[in-house]
Each structure stands twice: as C-alpha cells, then as structure tokens.
Amino acid sequence: MTDPNGPLFPLSFVCPDISSKLRPDYVLRPLQLSDYQAGVLEVLKDLTTVGDISEERFNEQFEYMRARQGEYFVVIIEKIATGNVVGVGTLLVERKFIHECGLVGHIEDIAVAKSEQGKKLGIKIISALDFIGKKIGCYKNILDCSPHNEQFYVKCGYSNAGFEMTKRFDK
Ligand code: ACO
C-alpha cells in the first residue's frame, strides 16, 4: 500500500551520482505533499502563470499523479537551510504504439528560483530527469523551449529537432 505521506515516486529513481554532485546544502528528491508549504508553486511562478491554487487542490493533483506510478516524475531541489523548494522539473512518460510500443519522456515545467539561478541547479534537474527516462526505458526525452533557453538545453546535451506548434483552447 502507498504511504499517504510518501513521495510522488520511489527514491530509487533519484540518481545517486547527481545527488552527490550537489552542494551539501541542497537536496534532490521527489515531490512530496509538504512542498505546497515549501513554496514549489512560487518557484513555478518564475516560469509562467500558476494561478491561485489551494492546498486541497494541490493535494488532489498530487494524489492523481502518485496513483499513476511510472508516469509522473516531479523532481525537486530543496535548500536545506530554509526548507524551501528552489528548483523543480517534471518528466511525463508517454506510452506509444510506434517504436514497438516505445516510451517517450516529456520534459516539462523546469524552473529554478531567480535567486538560485546560475548555480548549476537547472542542469542537475535535467540530468535527474534524463536518468529517470533511461531507467524507466524511454527511447528518448523531448522538450519544447523558447529560443532564449535553447543554449541552456544544448549544455544539457539536447539538440534542436524541429520547432514547436501550438493551438490554444483557453483563450
Ligand atoms: N541561455 C544560455 N545559457 C544558459 C541559459 C540561457 N537562458 N540558462 C543557463 N545557461 C547556461 C549556464 O550559463 C550554464 O553554462 P556553463 O555550464 O557553461 O556555466 C549552463 O547553462 C547550466 O546552467 P544552470 O546554472 O544549471 O542553469 P539555471 O540553474 O539557472 O537554470 C533555467 C536554467 C531552468 C532556464 C532557469 O534560468 C529558469 O528557471 N528560468 C526561468 C524559467 C524557465 O525559463 N524555464 C525553462 C522553461 S522550458 C521547459 O520547461 C521545458
């Protein structure tokens, strides 16, 4: 049975090599329910609109994701001294028919708190998501980003493979 206070995904998906390369005042770990209070949504506000989300709504979304083991991997970097979330990133695993029912990892919603940017936390979040993608059997990880962030992802080992198309239904 799943521990009601347990993390979003098992700790075995957290790459020990990446954790050991973090400065000792930071920890890399799966999302947990207490991250609402630890400010995960504030960090995501550096990326885009988050909206006014109650703790109850956050918890419901967390439980939805946790019930789908092997699909949602939200990794966190916490600053130990403050207990605050300073970095976050998601890998969503898609099951396909093509490539012999292959799996593709979608990297989404990467954000590092403004005051912590430039300290190599972002690159560690991407490495952690790449580790998970490989471990779970994805044949590739993919992502969309603005031209402004292209060089960051190049430094993370990604290359340009086309361009993003979108159609909005919320406006
Ligand atoms: N353009 C060019 N190079 C960059 C950029 C950039 N925008 N951002 C980082 N880099 C470089 C760094 O200089 C560093 O290079 P070095 O190894 O030669 O010194 C390398 O990339 C790694 O940088 P980090 O310090 O790990 O980057 P950081 O922790 O600041 O995180 C991030 C980068 C996630 C883009 C951060 O700036 C951020 O949160 N920005 C606001 C939100 C955002 O735009 N998120 C990405 C959205 S795309 C998506 O979610 C799929």
Side-chain angles (χ1 to χ4, degrees), residues 43-47 86-89 108-113 117 122 125:
V43 177
L44 284 169
K45 284 177 188 168
D46 283 336
L47 169 67
V86 294
V88 58
E108 296 283 346
D109 301 348
I110 306 301
V112 172
Q117 289 176 8
I125 291 170

Side-chain angles (χ1 to χ4, degrees), residues 37-161:
Q37 293 294 344
V40 65
L41 300 183
E42 295 310 310
V43 177
L44 284 169
K45 284 177 188 168
D46 283 336
L47 169 67
T48 189
T49 310
V50 174
D52 187 14
I53 297 173
S54 67
E55 188 159 7
E56 189 185 10
R57 183 79 185 97
F58 178 87
N59 292 354
E60 281 169 14
Q61 197 79 314
F62 180 96
E63 295 304 351
Y64 177 95
M65 293 177 184
R66 187 164 57 173
R68 285 155 184 81
Q69 283 294 308
E71 286 181 40
Y72 288 91
F73 296 89
V74 183
V75 301
I76 292 296
I77 293 182
E78 176 189 326
K79 191 167 193 171
I80 295 169
T82 59
N84 287 337
V85 172
V86 294
V88 58
T90 295
L91 184 79
L92 176 59
V93 177
E94 176 198 4
R95 288 182 171 266
K96 297 177 103 54
F97 285 116
I98 62 167
H99 294 293
E100 298 181 68
C101 291
L103 303 180
V104 169
H106 296 264
I107 292 203
E108 296 283 346
D109 301 348
I110 306 301
V112 172
K114 268 202 180 67
S115 59
E116 301 286 335
Q117 289 176 8
K119 298 181 181 177
K120 306 280 163 74
L121 298 182
I123 201 166
K124 290 196 179 60
I125 291 170
I126 301 300
S127 301
L129 299 177
D130 288 344
F131 173 86
I132 294 169
K134 277 186 223 157
K135 187 174 166 81
I136 208 148
C138 293
Y139 66 91
K140 65 176 178 181
N141 277 355
I142 58 176
L143 61 89
D144 293 326
C145 72
S146 67
H148 170 74
N149 284 324
E150 183 180 358
Q151 287 311 309
F152 166 68
Y153 288 109
V154 168
K155 296 225 160 126
C156 294
Y158 282 70
S159 51
N160 192 323

